[in-house]
Amino acid sequence: QEKYNSKVQRLIKLSKVRISNAEVNDIYFLERGIDRQTIQELSTCQFMEIHSNIIFQGFTGSGKTFLACAIGRQSCKQGIRTLYIRIPDLLMERDEATLQSQGIPKLLKKYSGYGLLILDEWLLNDLSNEEQHFLFELMERRHDNTSTIFCTQYRMEDWHARLGGGVHADSIMDRIVHNAVWVETGNMNMREFYSKHR
């Protein structure tokens, strides 16, 4: 038990989840319209056995990151290498990798190796052609091999345009949405809710 606990704590620390104490049991469900059973099923991490993705979609403050981090912690408890990163930070790493020999392939290998990758702020900013290509390559490597959680403000019908509207947009979406559990996070501002109830 001590060895297991040590491994879990190490995986949680290495996952860099933004909310390190997020737990499934602490998720607030009342008046949010989130299906409790769906979240409980996702918390078993069985979706990773079939390499499914999860998409948490809702406006800013609706609790997407908390939900993703809670599932991420559950993944760590299952002994699965997990990583949380914001898309702006990932693309910044991509820019830095272009200055190194074999930097992009190394970066793609790194991020394709995690059993669960949590991508926060998905599609928040416009993407350059180079960034679209990088995300396509990453999704191609992860497709049918691993699972990814996306946190986004945008509905599926907005994705194609946000991804540039071209062939890369088609290809990226094709590797994400057909094997994904879509969870809308409701209309309640959870930051405001918790600030009032502290």
Side-chain angles (χ1 to χ4, degrees):
Q1 185 67 40
E2 190 174 325
K3 186 177 180 180
Y4 165 78
N5 290 340
S6 177
K7 180 181 179 181
V8 169
Q9 289 306 312
R10 186 178 76 254
L11 285 171
I12 290 174
K13 184 177 181 180
L14 292 174
S15 73
K16 300 178 181 178
V17 288
R18 188 169 182 174
I19 306 173
S20 58
N21 62 345
E23 290 285 356
V24 172
N25 291 337
D26 293 334
I27 294 172
Y28 185 84
F29 288 97
L30 292 178
E31 303 171 4
R32 293 180 73 186
I34 300 175
D35 184 64
R36 185 189 297 266
Q37 184 175 345
T38 298
I39 299 300
Q40 289 175 340
E41 288 175 358
L42 292 175
S43 72
T44 67
C45 296
Q46 290 183 357
F47 70 94
M48 284 190 262
E49 295 176 8
I50 56 174
H51 312 308
S52 290
N53 301 313
I54 304 175
I55 300 165
F56 290 118
Q57 183 265 317
F59 72 96
T60 183
S62 62
K64 302 182 295 293
T65 300
F66 187 96
L67 290 164
C69 290
I71 301 298
R73 281 177 59 93
Q74 290 297 113
S75 172
C76 292
K77 292 175 184 179
Q78 301 279 348
I80 298 167
R81 287 181 69 234
T82 300
L83 185 72
Y84 166 97
I85 189 167
R86 297 167 58 250
I87 287 292
D89 294 332
L90 175 61
L91 295 179
M92 196 177 300
E93 283 192 38
R94 191 212 74 88
D95 291 343
E96 294 170 355
T98 60
L99 305 176
Q100 305 164 11
S101 175
Q102 294 296 305
I104 295 293
K106 289 177 183 176
L107 192 64
L108 288 168
K109 183 178 180 181
K110 171 187 173 181
Y111 282 103
S112 61
Y114 288 96
L116 179 64
L117 180 63
I118 302 171
L119 298 177
D120 204 351
E121 299 181 11
W122 175 252
L123 305 181
L124 183 64
N125 299 315
D126 293 335
L127 300 169
S128 68
N129 290 336
E130 292 78 12
E131 290 168 341
Q132 292 169 29
H133 181 70
F134 173 78
L135 291 176
F136 163 72
E137 291 294 339
L138 179 58
M139 294 304 108
E140 166 62 20
R141 284 164 171 75
R142 294 188 60 79
H143 179 60
D144 276 347
N145 292 307
T146 53
S147 293
T148 308
I149 296 179
F150 301 85
C151 300
T152 182
Q153 296 184 34
Y154 293 95
R155 297 182 179 276
M156 192 187 302
E157 54 264 31
D158 300 321
W159 279 35
H160 195 264
R162 299 294 302 173
L163 285 165
V167 175
H168 279 137
D170 292 331
S171 301
I172 292 169
M173 288 188 67
D174 190 55
R175 286 159 177 77
I176 297 173
V177 300
H178 298 310
N179 189 27
V181 179
W182 196 287
V183 179
E184 294 189 10
T185 53
N187 297 317
M188 183 182 291
N189 190 315
M190 298 309 296
R191 291 196 187 101
E192 182 180 348
F193 174 83
Y194 282 118
S195 67
K196 289 180 179 178
H197 290 80
R198 276 178 184 150

